Amino acid sequence: MSKGILFVLSGPSGVGKGTVCSALRGKLPDLVYSVSATTRSPRQGEVNGVNYFFKTRDEFLDMMQNDQLLEYAEYVGNYYGTPRDFVEKTLESGNDIILEIEVQGALQVKQKFPEGVFIFLLPPSLDELKDRIIGRGTENQATIDHRMTVAVDEINLMQHYDYAVVNDQIDCACKRIESIIIAEHCKIKK
Ligand code: 5GP
């Protein structure tokens, strides 16, 4: 049996990775989603084990030290990381998996899984990105400013990716990603 394909969806915070991922989930039930571990506090409505595995800093450091994370990054004061086992077992069982992670982590995954498919989600413009972060209403001004600075640095790393998808409308972005998934399965070298 052939192994599954690892897809990484990355891009600046606020670009809508989470929303696009949930929409994809509805359309592609066979695509497996990796649930990350984080030390950030849950936002309203977020559920442990569904949106994230919410960890204390000590628990997260333990996971890091025991090599349980495929990648991790410290992002705006909190740790985020991808549990390794789940990803490896999913791929071994022949299923595709998608990671929705920030850019530093995506570059670490690229070193370990160069055969992965790296998709960069772009905002239609930087103004639009700022509006989205403000509109979410969950961040204070200092965090918004920090996230915008990080976003500009992150967009400069797009060159390391295989595909760029503009998130102008969720449905259109999903169609583009679905097309990428189909095309990757048609590749002769795979
Ligand atoms: P948020 O706090 O808004 O949920 O996420 C902040 C950023 O962390 C987002 O860009 C999100 O994609 C990213 N992120 C979520 N999970 C992971 C992970 O496991 N690893 C890395 N490197 N980034 C993640």
Side-chain angles (χ1 to χ4, degrees), residues 53-104:
F53 294 107
F54 294 101
K55 302 283 180 191
T56 64
R57 224 172 157 83
D58 282 349
E59 286 169 340
F60 196 97
L61 292 176
D62 267 359
M63 292 179 83
M64 272 163 63
Q65 276 155 12
N66 294 324
D67 202 25
Q68 290 170 7
L69 297 173
L70 179 62
E71 60 71 37
Y72 65 86
E74 191 166 4
Y75 180 85
V76 197
N78 285 298
Y79 283 120
Y80 296 82
T82 304
R84 171 197 296 280
D85 241 31
F86 185 70
V87 172
E88 290 179 350
K89 288 193 174 128
T90 303
L91 293 172
E92 284 300 327
S93 66
N95 291 300
D96 293 348
I97 188 165
I98 189 161
L99 275 49
E100 183 246 296
I101 60 178
E102 57 69 61
V103 179
Q104 303 165 58

Side-chain angles (χ1 to χ4, degrees), residues 9-15 17-18 34-38 40-41 43 46 51-52 60 69 71-76 78-83 99-106 108-109 136 138-139 147 154:
L9 182 66
S10 193
S13 168
V15 74
K17 297 188 291 293
S34 157
V35 177
S36 298
T38 184
R40 117 158 136 59
S41 313
R43 295 192 184 117
E46 285 185 330
N51 304 91
Y52 283 103
F60 196 97
L69 297 173
E71 60 71 37
Y72 65 86
E74 191 166 4
Y75 180 85
V76 197
N78 285 298
Y79 283 120
Y80 296 82
T82 304
L99 275 49
E100 183 246 296
I101 60 178
E102 57 69 61
V103 179
Q104 303 165 58
Q108 290 172 45
V109 177
R136 192 153 67 182
T138 53
E139 325 291 349
R147 286 196 177 220
E154 287 174 333

